[in-house]
Amino acid sequence: MKKLVALVLTTLIFIPGALFSAPVVKDKSSIGFAARQMGVPVAGSFKRFDADVRFDPKDAGKGSASITIYMDEVDAGSDDGTIEIKRKPWFDVKGHPKAEFVSTSLKELGPGRYEVAGKMTIKGRTRGVVAPVTVKKEGGLWLFEGAFAINRLDFSIGEGPWANTGTVDDKVEVRFRFLLPATDKK
Amino acid sequence: MERHVGNDRWTWTAIFLHWVIATLIIAGFALGEYMGDLAVSPMKLKLYSYHKWLGVTVFALTIIRLAWRAFHAPPLFPAGMPSWERLAAKAAHALLYALIFMIPLAGWLGSSAHGFQTVYLGVIPIPDLLAKNKELSDILEEIHEQLNHALLLIVIAHIGAAMKHHFIDKDDILRRMMGIKGQQK
Ligand code: HEM
């Protein structure tokens, strides 16, 4: 029953946008993050995620994105860091195996420039985020690129002694790059 | 002449740099031995940073020290010092300088290869010469460690020699590195 509802819902959500809706091309898309500890930039990434993006350049307002990140496949930039970041004080990947982003609006700012707003859920905490996105055609694909900053403590990422921002900055930059097949049927 | 540098006395600058660098090296060494086995914690990240900052400081001060030395000749060895001892002292000092340079370099390169840039005092980024590379970082970190073990041995010999000069030979070698006026002549 649950599955049926899910199927119907998915169909309802995605069929109307079928023209420009698609899962992203996985091996070309990426979600990375950049943090700073003791002034040292540390770059990481999420190796596994599902992302569905709907986009119609002629009707940008109807665009949307929904992204699910599988937290167990995070790479924190070093072996030690990757082990540590999965632990309870950080992502707690056992307790919260998925992070999610669901867009609530897409606004056109200028040619090829948009602003996406949405709800980000990490570690069970949901916060609103806004990110600029540039969209362009690249090799027959749509390329969506953008970055935005979050405060890790808003999501309780780094609890206990790690909550002290003297060692690891509160601010973390998230960078995304999605490519999806341009199903041009003009 | 009060400042008869170049025959039997060190300049105050040389004395100051010797002791500051020696202190920083001993602190950096102890920190390096201690921090490695700690569980990941904010304290561990801090200690790693302090250790790197100490290394960068030692490296920079040693450049200044050698530049100073180039224009301010070290004092001569005491007249009665056997030639093999002079040779041993010179070789040990040259080796100490070489290690003081190579150890921070290996540490910095290893850190880069590990994927961690060195940011001096948390504000001055030092460029990465190497890109992230696991095998290379393992090798460089091993070199860093082994050079430190070599340094430890030579420093022990160095301190031992200083003690021998002071207590057995009863010459002014140790006194002059502390800026204390010589007793002989
Ligand atoms: C308690 C520890 C130490 C003592 C008692 C000590 C003592 C001395 C003395 C007496 C000299 C002068 C030799 C002379 O007048 O010809 C000297 C020179 C020197 N020491 Fe030390 N030292 C100590 C620690 C260190 C450490 C840790 C290092 C570096 C790793 C170091 C590096 C050097 C170097 C490179 C020289 C040669 C200076 C030159 O020729 O420019 N010393 N030390």
Side-chain angles (χ1 to χ4, degrees), chain B residues 1 15 31 38 45-47 67 79 85 93 95 99 120 139-140 145 163-164 166 173 175-176:
Chain B
M1 261 216 298
I15 294 169
L31 207 50
L38 292 178
L45 298 189
K46 283 199 182 119
L47 294 183
E85 274 190 33
H93 293 165
L95 216 52
L99 287 168
Y120 188 51
I139 295 172
L140 285 164
E145 199 178 333
M163 298 302 124
K164 174 189 177 274
H166 191 69
I173 290 283
R175 259 188 296 270
R176 72 187 192 180

Side-chain angles (χ1 to χ4, degrees), chain A residues 29-168:
Chain A
S29 302
S30 62
I31 304 175
F33 60 90
R36 221 167 240 283
Q37 50 114 339
M38 298 299 286
V40 180
V42 183
S45 62
F46 296 101
K47 296 286 178 218
R48 194 157 81 89
F49 54 85
D50 293 330
D52 272 295
V53 178
R54 277 206 296 164
F55 177 67
D56 182 346
K58 296 202 197 88
D59 193 357
K62 285 228 178 80
S64 69
S66 111
I67 298 152
T68 303
I69 299 174
Y70 301 93
M71 303 302 277
D72 195 42
E73 285 176 52
V74 62
D75 173 358
S78 67
D79 294 353
D80 281 355
T82 300
I83 294 169
E84 179 61 27
I85 207 172
K86 292 182 187 175
R87 294 206 170 119
K88 209 151 185 186
W90 295 97
F91 285 148
D92 186 16
V93 301
K94 291 234 172 65
H96 303 280
K98 289 181 195 171
E100 254 162 359
F101 172 81
V102 180
S103 69
T104 49
S105 77
L106 184 69
K107 264 196 315 214
E108 186 161 0
L109 300 179
R113 294 193 303 118
Y114 302 85
E115 186 181 87
V116 61
K119 298 238 170 287
M120 182 98 193
T121 306
I122 312 173
K123 221 181 168 179
R125 279 88 171 162
T126 303
R127 296 283 181 278
V129 296
V130 178
V133 191
T134 60
V135 183
K136 59 178 180 229
K137 278 269 178 70
E138 201 180 81
L141 300 169
W142 284 113
L143 168 63
F144 296 76
E145 249 179 330
F148 60 95
I150 60 163
N151 292 325
R152 64 180 177 92
L153 294 179
D154 287 350
F155 299 90
S156 296
I157 302 168
E159 293 175 67
W162 292 109
N164 183 335
T165 54
T167 322
V168 180

Side-chain angles (χ1 to χ4, degrees), chain B:
Chain B
M1 261 216 298
E2 274 307 300
R3 286 178 62 252
H4 51 142
V5 157
N7 44 59
D8 67 344
R9 292 188 42 195
W10 291 95
T11 60
W12 283 107
T13 307
I15 294 169
F16 174 79
L17 286 171
H18 172 268
W19 292 112
V20 168
I21 292 171
T23 308
L24 296 181
I25 285 178
I26 291 166
F29 184 93
L31 207 50
E33 289 289 335
Y34 172 70
M35 68 189 192
D37 296 330
L38 292 178
V40 181
S41 69
M43 181 53 80
K44 182 172 184 162
L45 298 189
K46 283 199 182 119
L47 294 183
Y48 265 77
S49 292
Y50 299 159
H51 175 79
K52 293 174 189 183
W53 302 348
L54 278 172
V56 173
T57 309
V58 165
F59 188 82
L61 287 178
T62 303
I63 291 178
I64 296 172
R65 183 177 176 188
L66 284 177
W68 180 266
R69 191 186 199 274
F71 296 101
H72 301 82
L76 303 170
F77 291 125
M81 195 167 151
S83 62
W84 77 267
E85 274 190 33
R86 291 164 189 255
L87 200 72
K90 279 195 177 145
H93 293 165
L95 216 52
L96 283 171
Y97 277 125
L99 287 168
I100 300 174
F101 264 111
M102 282 167 7
I103 288 169
L105 276 180
W108 161 64
L109 290 171
S111 183
S112 286
H114 210 123
F116 293 108
Q117 191 181 16
T118 301
V119 180
Y120 188 51
L121 306 180
V123 286
I124 305 169
I126 297 171
D128 285 321
L129 198 67
L130 298 176
K132 199 165 139 183
N133 176 334
K134 175 97 176 72
E135 285 92 71
L136 199 56
S137 80
D138 287 346
I139 295 172
L140 285 164
E141 280 158 21
E142 184 64 25
I143 291 176
H144 182 67
E145 199 178 333
Q146 294 308 329
L147 290 178
N148 267 293
H149 292 156
L151 179 69
L152 179 64
L153 294 181
I154 299 173
V155 166
I156 289 171
H158 177 72
I159 296 172
M163 298 302 124
K164 174 189 177 274
H165 280 285
H166 191 69
F167 293 109
I168 297 172
D169 302 339
K170 297 194 176 8
D171 61 23
D172 286 333
I173 290 283
L174 182 60
R175 259 188 296 270
R176 72 187 192 180
M177 194 38 116
M178 305 209 285
I180 300 168
K181 269 228 170 73
Q183 306 208 316
Q184 292 144 359
K185 288 186 272 155

